[in-house]
Amino acid sequence: AIADLNVIRHRAGVPDLPDNLSQTDLTAAIAKERQTELFCEGAHRWFDLKRTGQAHAVLSAIPYKQPWAGDYQLVYPIPIKDMQLDRNLKQNQGY
């Protein structure tokens, strides 16, 4: 994984990562590369934050997201038409 990251970093003119990264440091480096490389590309960052459980901590600290109204902002509302077609659907909390 470090070699793959270094290919990307070399292309970008960024210094290579050391070959002896710990698992924790490697995971952080991968997250940082995804944040940088996929900026504004199809909400990859948003999905990464949700999948890793970091969405609340990161998004609630962004000034233009204030006041943070609650974690319900991390899910979309279910369209009314969908709930009318399937009575088993319940609206996501906060909507």
Side-chain angles (χ1 to χ4, degrees):
I2 294 171
D4 291 338
L5 283 177
N6 283 336
V7 168
I8 295 167
R9 294 173 66 84
H10 183 74
R11 176 192 45 86
V14 179
D16 286 352
L17 295 170
D19 290 331
N20 61 348
L21 286 179
S22 69
Q23 184 73 29
T24 303
D25 290 340
L26 178 58
T27 302
I30 292 169
K32 179 64 177 165
E33 290 299 324
R34 287 186 59 82
Q35 177 184 359
T36 303
E37 287 291 322
L38 300 174
F39 178 72
C40 290
E41 290 189 26
H44 289 284
R45 173 78 170 143
W46 187 79
F47 288 117
D48 284 351
L49 291 173
K50 280 199 57 152
R51 184 180 62 253
T52 59
Q54 297 176 330
H56 172 86
V58 172
L59 298 176
S60 67
I62 297 173
Y64 66 83
K65 294 277 188 187
Q66 302 308 316
W68 184 254
D71 285 350
Y72 77 88
Q73 294 171 261
L74 301 176
V75 296
Y76 291 114
I78 298 174
I80 299 292
K81 286 187 175 190
D82 289 349
M83 290 193 307
Q84 290 170 341
L85 290 172
D86 185 348
R87 299 290 181 186
N88 293 317
L89 290 176
K90 302 269 189 273
Q91 186 58 270
N92 287 320
Q93 188 176 1
Y95 294 102

